[in-house]
Amino acid sequence: LAKTTQPISMDSYEGQEVNITCSHNNIATNDYITWYQQFPSQGPRFIIQGYKTKVTNEVASLFIPADRKSSTLSLPRVSLSDTAVYYCLMDSSYKLIFGSGTRLLVRP
Amino acid sequence: ETGVTQSPTHLIKTRGQQVTLRCSSQSGHNTVSWYQQALGQGPQFIFQYYREEENGRGNFPPRFSGLQFPNYSSELNVNALELDDSALYLCASSYDIANTEAFFGQGTRLTVV
């Protein structure tokens, strides 16, 4: 099973760009890289998904190098409401395998 | 709003009892998955149902069972509750098996005493 490694926690300040890197050395050919956000006592929320190079949507960008062994979620100009846990997942089959995630704390 | 609703939001049960948790998926979502999330941990996959049949199962004992109905609703049943079953239970629905984008409900907080 594909396993991901990401920092346990990160701190940032309002207005800064935050980059969370995830390592996935055993990524398989069919795996997509997906990021979810979770607030306390809520279900995870899909942020972005990609296979290679760069993907951008209205809330984030996802950078994936050519070897696909890592990925970086970029959150531009974070606000206090971005304080949450961010999960990086390999998504190739019927189940989502969550790690412990990265706890992002955004300070004023 | 994900369009996925779960009930109840909170529940307290006694060890040894049985519990049924419910989920209403988005219309058109043929796939529903259930996850257990202990405090401070990521969600753990319990099982998935696709078009009313179990499509895959995680490392959970048989006392965890489920049902999916044609009206996009589903149930998670847990028998012989144990203290360690205390957790947030999440359902997630998607258009297909591949989970290209799974939509999660807000969860049911189960406390076993």
Side-chain angles (χ1 to χ4, degrees), chain B residues 7-69:
Chain B
S7 62
T9 54
H10 295 83
L11 196 56
I12 300 176
K13 288 286 193 177
T14 303
R15 187 171 52 183
Q17 284 187 314
Q18 178 267 343
V19 68
T20 298
L21 310 181
R22 294 182 171 82
C23 174
S24 177
S25 304
Q26 284 193 27
S27 178
H29 282 195
N30 294 313
T31 304
V32 64
S33 302
W34 285 88
Y35 292 80
Q36 179 195 66
Q37 186 172 27
L39 208 57
Q41 303 294 320
Q44 300 298 306
F45 175 77
I46 302 175
F47 46 55
Q48 182 189 75
Y49 278 78
Y50 175 67
R51 294 187 174 179
E52 302 160 50
E53 297 210 358
E54 186 177 295
N55 183 58
R57 190 176 184 91
N59 189 26
F60 281 82
R63 59 189 185 84
F64 285 78
S65 63
L67 286 171
Q68 185 186 25
F69 303 102

Side-chain angles (χ1 to χ4, degrees), chain B residues 52-104:
Chain B
E52 302 160 50
E53 297 210 358
E54 186 177 295
N55 183 58
R57 190 176 184 91
N59 189 26
F60 281 82
R63 59 189 185 84
F64 285 78
S65 63
L67 286 171
Q68 185 186 25
F69 303 102
N71 64 352
Y72 305 110
S73 66
S74 60
E75 291 180 354
L76 165 66
N77 299 289
V78 187
N79 293 322
L81 283 167
E82 301 176 359
L83 297 180
D84 285 348
D85 295 333
S86 294
L88 181 68
Y89 288 86
L90 298 159
C91 79
S93 72
S94 56
Y95 289 109
D96 57 32
I97 297 175
N99 276 319
T100 303
E101 180 176 348
F103 295 84
F104 283 80

Side-chain angles (χ1 to χ4, degrees), chain A residues 37-44 84-85 87 103, chain B residues 6 9-10 37-41 87-90 104-109:
Chain A
Q37 175 194 55
Q38 187 177 27
F39 298 111
S41 297
Q42 292 188 28
V85 178
Y87 295 98
R103 296 182 179 276
Chain B
Q6 293 186 241
T9 54
H10 295 83
Q37 186 172 27
L39 208 57
Q41 303 294 320
L88 181 68
Y89 288 86
L90 298 159
F104 283 80
Q106 83 285 1
T108 293
R109 173 72 63 190

